[in-house]
Amino acid sequence: MKPHTEISNFLDQESYINLKKFLNDKDTPWFYVPKMVEGATSSSFFAHYFFNGMEVLSSKYPLIFPIIKKLKATALIQVRANLTLQNSSSFNCPWHTDYDVKNLKTAILYFTTCDGCTLLDPEKQYKIEAEENKLVSFPSGIPHKQSGHFNTDKRIVLNLNYYDEG
């Protein structure tokens, strides 16, 4: 049995388009993060934090309400959008967990269809294709990593760490 759930067409069109429009707007504030995870090489990215450390950090926080509702999230730890630029072959994102906390879940919602997939579990290496409006969720303790993307200029995902009703 797979440790994750994949849902295509996760959000309704209006909610998805509104959030995608914001994430692709030239005035959206993105902040440079030099390393995706500790020990990474050539894996810098840009982040837009909606929520972190018990604090709302974006005026556009209401755009994620439909996601929170559909996930039946009861508490958020962090919600951020990640933007990575087209990579050279030296891109390296090591296996990592966002948080290794019991009953915590991680979800990734894709805003770019591209060849930059997500891999789960270093032993089984489940491959999650990056497809617009697809969501993958899994227990936060499962190691995962992003592969580099080469067929598009940028890759945007929304990363959520949350507790749900389960």
Side-chain angles (χ1 to χ4, degrees), residues 3 10 12 36 46 69 83 95-96 102 121 133 140 152 154 163 165:
F10 179 74
D12 64 273
M36 194 168 287
F46 295 89
K69 183 177 180 182
L83 181 151
W95 291 101
H96 67 280
K102 187 176 181 179
D121 188 342
N133 202 10
S140 291
T152 185
K154 63 185 176 182
Y163 292 99
E165 294 174 347

Side-chain angles (χ1 to χ4, degrees), residues 153-164:
D153 290 342
K154 63 185 176 182
R155 175 185 188 261
I156 299 175
V157 301
L158 189 70
N159 180 285
L160 301 97
N161 294 285
Y162 65 100
Y163 292 99
D164 66 8

Side-chain angles (χ1 to χ4, degrees), residues 75-78 98-99 104-107 140 159-163:
L76 299 175
I77 302 299
Q78 184 182 86
D98 293 351
Y99 297 92
L104 188 68
K105 291 189 176 176
T106 296
S140 291
N159 180 285
L160 301 97
N161 294 285
Y162 65 100
Y163 292 99

Side-chain angles (χ1 to χ4, degrees), residues 15-163:
S15 298
Y16 182 78
I17 288 169
N18 287 338
L19 187 50
K20 182 178 178 177
K21 184 177 177 182
F22 168 70
L23 294 172
N24 282 286
D25 190 284
K26 67 178 179 58
D27 294 324
T28 297
W30 291 98
F31 299 92
Y32 179 73
V33 181
K35 290 188 177 183
M36 194 168 287
V37 293
E38 202 55 44
T41 59
S42 303
S43 64
S44 60
F45 69 105
F46 295 89
H48 178 88
Y49 285 87
F50 289 89
F51 185 90
N52 192 36
M54 305 298 289
E55 186 177 356
V56 173
L57 299 173
S58 174
S59 64
K60 298 298 183 175
Y61 179 70
L63 288 174
I64 66 168
F65 289 173
I67 301 167
I68 295 167
K69 183 177 180 182
K70 193 158 183 183
L71 288 173
K72 298 180 181 174
T74 57
L76 299 175
I77 302 299
Q78 184 182 86
V79 180
R80 76 171 187 270
N82 294 342
L83 181 151
T84 55
L85 301 177
Q86 189 177 48
N87 307 109
S88 70
S89 59
S90 65
F91 178 81
N92 174 29
C93 178
W95 291 101
H96 67 280
T97 57
D98 293 351
Y99 297 92
D100 193 4
V101 177
K102 187 176 181 179
N103 298 324
L104 188 68
K105 291 189 176 176
T106 296
I108 300 169
L109 179 61
Y110 298 89
F111 286 88
T112 311
T113 297
C114 68
D115 60 349
C117 69
T118 301
L119 296 171
L120 298 179
D121 188 342
E123 292 179 19
K124 299 202 178 178
Q125 296 201 21
Y126 296 102
K127 184 177 181 181
I128 314 301
E129 300 291 342
E131 298 169 357
E132 285 196 42
N133 202 10
K134 178 164 71 174
L135 181 125
V136 60
S137 65
F138 52 93
S140 291
I142 295 176
H144 61 282
K145 72 178 188 172
Q146 171 194 334
S147 69
H149 56 90
F150 305 100
N151 66 346
T152 185
D153 290 342
K154 63 185 176 182
R155 175 185 188 261
I156 299 175
V157 301
L158 189 70
N159 180 285
L160 301 97
N161 294 285
Y162 65 100
Y163 292 99

